[in-house]
Amino acid sequence: MPPDVLGLRADESAAYRALITVPSADAGEFAVMLRVPAEEAGELLAGLETAGLAVRSLGDPDRFVAAPPATTLREALRRRREELQRAEAELGVLDEVYRAAAQRRGAPGVVDVLHGAAEVREAFGRLQLGAREEVLSLVKAPIAVISAAENVEEDSAVARGVRYRVVFERAMLDEEPDAFARILDARAAGEEIRIADAVPLKLLIVDGEQAFMPLSVPGPPGALLIYERGLLQALVALFESEWRRASAVGASALDELDSRIVSLLMTGLTDEAVAAHLGTSLRTVQRRVRHLMEMTGGRTRMQLGFHVARLGWLD
């Protein structure tokens, strides 16, 4: 069992809490108190004695008395504080070594060019693993090397409290079948996500200190790692501009044609009638409806309307 905040296992903590409620107890009485076999009760008492949390009664060595918690556990807390302080100091040293190594890899300190899928994947994951405060991202189709499902470093960073702000190009919803479901999951985990009709490039900025920019050129995958402050400031400004233009998920993930199709379907019109009303093809309507159902998880036209209304995509 994992130790609790005082360094005790769960069963040890429960045993000590029980022992301090009585003047003394032997193994048989302790077994009744904890509702465990006598052998297990004896082992727990012996463990408490070894930890200094219980002592044998002077009048009867088979009986155990709880040691005062204020004196016994205060020393344990002091040792744990010292351990945490040493761990924090070691973490600071390791972080400095890591960042110094990263700077050496980035010599001359302006831009590194990454070649090949392996280098691109490694850098993309390493940047997110090293993130401390905030990650900014522009996500643009097509997917070159790393899909959203493979980006486990993002989940890890979000879990430890790193703020993520992400702008998805609308075409990404067509790129991965479960893209919208993943967006909703990421939003539920704490990420801030917006959707734009288009974004100018693929981009990842970590803590305003490094930027990762995949290259859209013929040949093997590649990317730029950018360290220079002036370039970073320009890229952050670009991201903020795209962020302001994009729509928050839940405000509207539908374009004008999608909105009109859903609105007409909710009036009870058939796909054929909707296509005729909008002056478009039946195939276009059916393709759009199928895509919207995949996005929202709706299995019928009625469920599609319900989910769209729940998400606040229609007035």
Side-chain angles (χ1 to χ4, degrees):
M1 299 179 186
D4 64 8
V5 293
L6 297 175
L8 302 177
R9 299 196 316 268
D11 55 350
E12 292 175 332
S13 179
Y16 181 66
R17 290 173 182 273
L19 190 59
I20 62 176
T21 64
V22 295
S24 65
D26 60 21
E29 294 167 347
F30 203 54
V32 174
M33 293 172 60
L34 294 180
R35 298 179 181 177
V36 298
E39 183 180 353
E40 183 178 342
E43 292 175 353
L44 286 171
L45 285 171
L48 293 178
E49 182 182 21
T50 301
L53 297 174
V55 296
R56 293 180 183 268
S57 173
L58 294 177
D60 184 352
D62 290 332
R63 301 186 69 82
F64 290 80
V65 178
T71 55
T72 306
L73 296 178
R74 184 173 289 116
E75 176 62 20
L77 283 174
R78 184 190 65 78
R79 290 195 301 269
R80 288 181 68 81
R81 288 195 190 99
E82 290 178 352
E83 291 172 0
L84 285 173
Q85 288 172 352
R86 289 195 296 271
E88 288 179 351
E90 179 66 14
L91 177 61
V93 171
L94 291 174
D95 192 53
E96 289 300 321
V97 172
Y98 175 85
R99 294 188 180 281
Q103 288 298 323
R104 288 195 297 273
R105 289 192 295 269
V110 178
V111 175
D112 274 350
V113 181
L114 306 176
H115 301 280
E119 279 193 21
V120 171
R121 286 176 181 271
E122 189 275 334
F124 186 71
R126 173 167 47 81
L127 283 173
Q128 294 179 94
L129 287 175
R132 303 186 310 276
E133 297 178 1
E134 184 176 53
V135 174
L136 311 176
S137 180
L138 299 178
V139 183
K140 181 179 178 67
I143 298 169
V145 177
I146 304 161
S147 69
E150 296 171 318
N151 188 11
V152 295
E153 291 84 3
E154 178 177 332
D155 298 334
S156 174
V158 172
R160 68 174 184 270
V162 177
R163 182 189 186 193
Y164 265 73
R165 287 196 287 152
V166 184
V167 179
F168 276 88
E169 186 175 70
R170 193 179 299 276
M172 286 298 298
L173 300 177
D174 295 320
E175 184 77 9
E176 295 188 70
D178 59 349
F180 195 72
R182 291 188 179 279
I183 287 173
L184 293 180
D185 289 343
R187 186 165 168 262
E191 295 188 35
E192 300 172 50
I193 298 176
R194 297 187 178 184
I195 296 177
D197 289 335
V199 296
L201 48 80
K202 301 176 182 179
L203 179 65
L204 187 84
I205 304 173
V206 177
D207 294 328
E209 298 174 355
Q210 296 181 73
F212 173 90
M213 186 187 301
L215 297 173
S216 299
V217 295
L224 299 179
L225 275 181
I226 300 168
Y227 309 97
E228 200 275 324
R229 185 168 181 79
L231 287 175
L232 285 169
Q233 290 176 339
L235 291 173
V236 170
L238 171 65
F239 173 85
E240 295 294 354
S241 175
E242 296 298 319
W243 179 259
R244 287 190 296 269
R245 291 195 307 107
S247 300
V249 173
S252 177
L254 308 180
D255 60 20
E256 182 179 355
L257 180 57
D258 286 338
S259 298
R260 295 174 67 187
I261 288 173
V262 174
S263 297
L264 291 171
L265 286 175
M266 291 176 68
T267 67
L269 294 180
T270 64
D271 291 355
E272 292 83 356
V274 171
H277 188 83
L278 296 178
T280 188
S281 69
L282 174 61
R283 178 176 296 181
T284 296
V285 171
Q286 291 175 333
R287 177 174 56 81
R288 293 273 186 146
V289 170
R290 183 168 57 252
H291 177 62
L292 290 171
M293 292 172 73
E294 291 173 353
M295 286 170 55
T296 62
R299 297 183 179 180
T300 66
R301 301 308 197 256
M302 184 68 71
Q303 289 180 358
L304 172 61
F306 169 77
H307 289 307
V308 166
R310 178 178 57 84
L311 292 168
W313 290 350
L314 293 176
D315 293 336

XYZ file of all heavy atoms in Angstrom, residues 14 57 77 93 101 124 126 232 250:
65
model
N -4.433 3.160 10.080
C -5.689 2.751 10.702
C -5.438 2.094 12.056
O -6.173 2.321 13.034
C -6.441 1.799 9.778
N 3.319 -2.286 27.508
C 2.943 -1.867 28.856
C 3.946 -2.417 29.860
O 4.369 -3.582 29.775
C 1.531 -2.367 29.179
O 1.219 -2.121 30.524
N 7.455 14.086 10.536
C 7.160 15.208 9.649
C 8.417 16.024 9.361
O 8.631 16.489 8.239
C 6.084 16.097 10.279
C 4.652 15.568 10.208
C 3.714 16.483 10.991
C 4.175 15.450 8.770
N 18.663 21.614 -9.640
C 19.936 21.324 -10.296
C 19.706 20.609 -11.623
O 20.288 20.962 -12.650
C 20.836 20.471 -9.373
C 22.068 19.986 -10.133
C 21.243 21.279 -8.152
N 21.781 21.984 -21.387
C 21.969 21.041 -22.486
C 21.108 21.423 -23.686
O 21.529 21.317 -24.833
C 21.633 19.624 -22.021
N 9.289 17.397 -30.412
C 7.905 17.761 -30.095
C 7.520 17.262 -28.701
O 6.905 17.982 -27.908
C 6.979 17.154 -31.153
C 5.538 17.568 -31.040
C 5.154 18.855 -31.348
C 4.568 16.663 -30.644
C 3.816 19.241 -31.253
C 3.233 17.038 -30.545
C 2.864 18.329 -30.855
N 9.725 16.355 -26.228
C 10.613 16.938 -25.212
C 10.177 18.338 -24.813
O 10.220 18.702 -23.632
C 12.052 16.943 -25.755
C 13.043 17.668 -24.866
C 14.470 17.370 -25.294
N 14.670 17.499 -26.720
C 14.860 18.664 -27.353
N 14.843 19.798 -26.671
N 15.066 18.702 -28.660
N 10.513 34.804 -31.430
C 9.506 34.253 -30.523
C 8.396 35.260 -30.250
O 7.210 34.920 -30.240
C 10.158 33.821 -29.208
C 10.980 32.531 -29.268
C 11.796 32.362 -27.999
C 10.078 31.324 -29.479
N -18.004 25.354 -28.491
C -19.220 25.541 -27.709
C -19.940 26.803 -28.122
O -21.141 26.921 -27.950
